[in-house]
Amino acid sequence: MTTAPHATTALRLSFLDTCLDIEPAPGADIDEALRFLDTHVAVAPRPAGAEPPLATLRTAPAPDDRHTPPDGTHWEDIYLRKSASDFFTVPARRSQADGRTYVECTKTGTRFAFDGAARTIDVAMTATGAMDLVELVRDLVLKDQENRGAAVLHATAAVKNGTAVLVTGAKGAGKSTILLELVEHFGYQIMSGDKTVVHEQPDGTTLAAGWPDYPHLGYGTIAKYPGLKEIAGIADDYQPTAGQAFSPIGKFAVDPYGFRERFPSAPLGLAVPVTGVIHPNIGPGDHTVLAPFPPDPAERTEALAANIESAFDGANAGWHHYLDDGRARHTERRARIAAELAKAPAWTLTGPGDLTPDNTPSPLAHGGAA
C-alpha cells in the first residue's frame, strides 16, 4: 500500500495478530516510515470499535512537554540499535520520570515518551527520523510476536509456489547472496531479507512470514546483479578492500525502494509452509556445492534453534521496557517449531554461492519439496 502524503487520520498497523495504532498530528510526516513498512505491515484507517492495540503511537511534528522530562532529570546514554555500520547505528539518551520513559535519538532528534499504564507512546518526529519510527515499530512488533509464541529466525526467506525456502546462518554466512540467487535465477520472490517469523499452527505444522528489511549487502553480492551497483550508489571505478569479498565488514546500505523494484517481493500478509532450508557458508572456491544436511533430527533441530534470535536479548534490547518479556511461557513451543522446521529438506552450501541448474537440487530449483 502506498500512503497518501501527510496522512492525518488514525491508522491501524497490522502484522499477523499484532496491531498498533498511529494517531498523527497535523504536520507529523509519517509517510516515509509507512512506505518502508508496507511491504509486510498492513496499513489502513483504524476501524470503529476495533480491539485495543498493543500501543497507540501519537506522533507530533515537534517536541513539546509530552516528550520532555522535568528539568534536572538524569539522562543516560544508550543505543536503540548498535551495528557494525554507522548507517544503522542509532545512538540515544534515556531518562525516566513520573512513570514515563523518555528517549531522544541523538543523531536525528526524534523523541519518544513511553507510558505503559496508558498504553501510549508519544513520538516527536523529525525530518530525518523515519527510520527511528520504523525501529520502534520493529521492536514492538517482534517482541509482541515472541510473547505470542513465535520463533524469530535470523534467516532470509524466498517464496515460490506457495512455499518458502529459508536461508539461515550467522552474519556473513551468505544469506542475502543465496536469497538473491534464488530470486534472480529460479523465479522466487523475496519474503524476508533478515528475519523470518514462524508460528506453530494448531495441528503442529508451522507457517513462516517475512519482515521488512533495509538491504545491507557486500560488494561481491551487489556486483553480481545488473543495476544493483547503481541502486546502491556505487561508482563504476570503485575498488573493494582486499579480503572483504566474503566478509560482513564493509557492506553497503542499499536503497530499499530501488531494491524492491529490482527484485520481486512476495505479496503482503503471506504466511506459508517451509519446504527447504539452506545453511550457507560461502567463501572462495571454484564451485558452489550444495550437500544434504546430516539427517540426524537432533543435529538439524540444533542448527535451526541456534539461529532463533530475540528482540529481548542483547545490550540494547531494553531501551524502552514498554513490553515485559513473556518468552518463558513459550519455550516448549519454540522448541517444537525448530523440530518441525528440521523435518524439511535441508542443505549445506559452500563455495562462492553461484546457483545454477547444475548445482541446485530439484526441490530448490522448482519450489517445494520433490
Side-chain angles (χ1 to χ4, degrees):
M1 171 181 175
T2 300
T3 58
H6 305 298
T8 56
T9 58
L11 300 172
R12 172 143 293 193
L13 277 59
S14 303
F15 176 83
L16 299 178
D17 49 358
T18 297
C19 295
L20 296 169
D21 286 353
I22 295 187
E23 297 177 352
D29 187 357
I30 63 173
D31 299 335
E32 182 67 17
L34 297 183
R35 182 187 178 200
F36 179 86
L37 291 166
D38 71 7
T39 53
H40 293 77
V41 177
V43 181
R46 182 171 60 193
E51 64 180 42
L54 177 67
T56 298
L57 282 53
R58 304 186 300 196
T59 62
D64 55 33
D65 290 346
R66 293 172 298 170
H67 314 97
T68 307
D71 290 342
T73 303
H74 172 71
W75 290 91
E76 61 178 324
D77 293 330
I78 62 166
Y79 288 91
L80 271 66
R81 184 176 184 180
K82 193 169 185 180
S83 169
S85 167
D86 288 341
F87 183 87
F88 294 106
T89 296
V90 186
R93 60 177 190 158
R94 176 179 61 200
S95 67
Q96 296 182 341
D98 302 326
R100 290 164 66 88
T101 298
Y102 299 87
V103 175
E104 180 182 11
C105 301
T106 54
K107 187 159 46 175
T108 62
T110 299
R111 294 190 188 185
F112 304 112
F114 298 86
D115 189 331
R119 310 302 290 176
T120 60
I121 304 171
D122 287 300
V123 184
M125 294 292 296
T126 66
T128 58
M131 295 310 295
D132 300 330
L133 181 57
V134 167
E135 188 65 24
L136 173 65
V137 172
R138 167 193 173 277
D139 196 74
L140 291 170
V141 170
L142 292 180
K143 284 177 177 175
D144 185 59
Q145 284 295 300
E146 292 181 63
N147 282 345
R148 293 172 181 269
V152 179
L153 271 76
H154 188 207
T156 67
V159 65
K160 183 178 179 181
N161 298 332
T163 64
V165 170
L166 301 185
V167 187
T168 188
K171 187 179 293 293
K175 297 184 295 297
S176 296
T177 299
I178 303 309
L179 170 70
L180 295 186
E181 285 289 286
L182 291 170
V183 172
E184 186 81 347
H185 302 304
F186 293 97
Y188 281 79
Q189 296 175 313
I190 294 175
M191 189 167 78
S192 197
D194 182 50
K195 303 181 190 306
T196 302
V197 180
V198 185
H199 271 282
E200 182 184 49
Q201 303 304 297
D203 63 359
T205 61
T206 59
L207 293 179
W211 182 251
D213 177 46
Y214 203 116
H216 194 212
L217 305 175
Y219 180 79
T221 298
I222 292 171
K224 292 176 69 171
Y225 305 105
L228 195 47
K229 284 175 62 177
E230 290 78 5
I231 295 170
I234 299 174
D236 289 338
D237 59 355
Y238 173 80
Q239 293 296 321
T241 303
Q244 291 189 352
F246 299 100
S247 169
I249 303 172
K251 289 187 175 183
F252 292 83
V254 179
D255 173 64
Y257 310 113
F259 182 85
R260 292 170 186 174
E261 292 177 1
R262 174 63 179 80
F263 298 101
S265 297
L268 174 68
L270 196 67
V272 297
V274 173
T275 54
V277 180
I278 302 174
H279 300 267
N281 186 18
I282 67 170
D286 295 330
H287 305 288
T288 296
V289 177
L290 284 119
F293 198 86
D296 178 58
E299 188 172 353
R300 285 172 170 244
T301 301
E302 183 179 359
L304 285 162
N307 288 296
I308 294 177
E309 60 182 24
S310 175
F312 285 105
D313 292 336
N316 312 306
W319 62 271
H320 58 71
H321 302 298
Y322 180 83
L323 294 176
D324 294 330
D325 184 349
R327 289 177 296 165
R329 64 181 179 267
H330 298 299
T331 300
E332 293 183 1
R333 178 178 293 179
R334 269 186 287 275
R336 292 196 302 267
I337 289 172
E340 183 67 19
L341 291 175
K343 296 176 183 178
W347 298 265
T348 61
L349 184 151
T350 55
D354 302 311
L355 297 186
T356 70
D358 293 332
N359 66 20
T360 304
S362 179
L364 294 177
H366 296 101

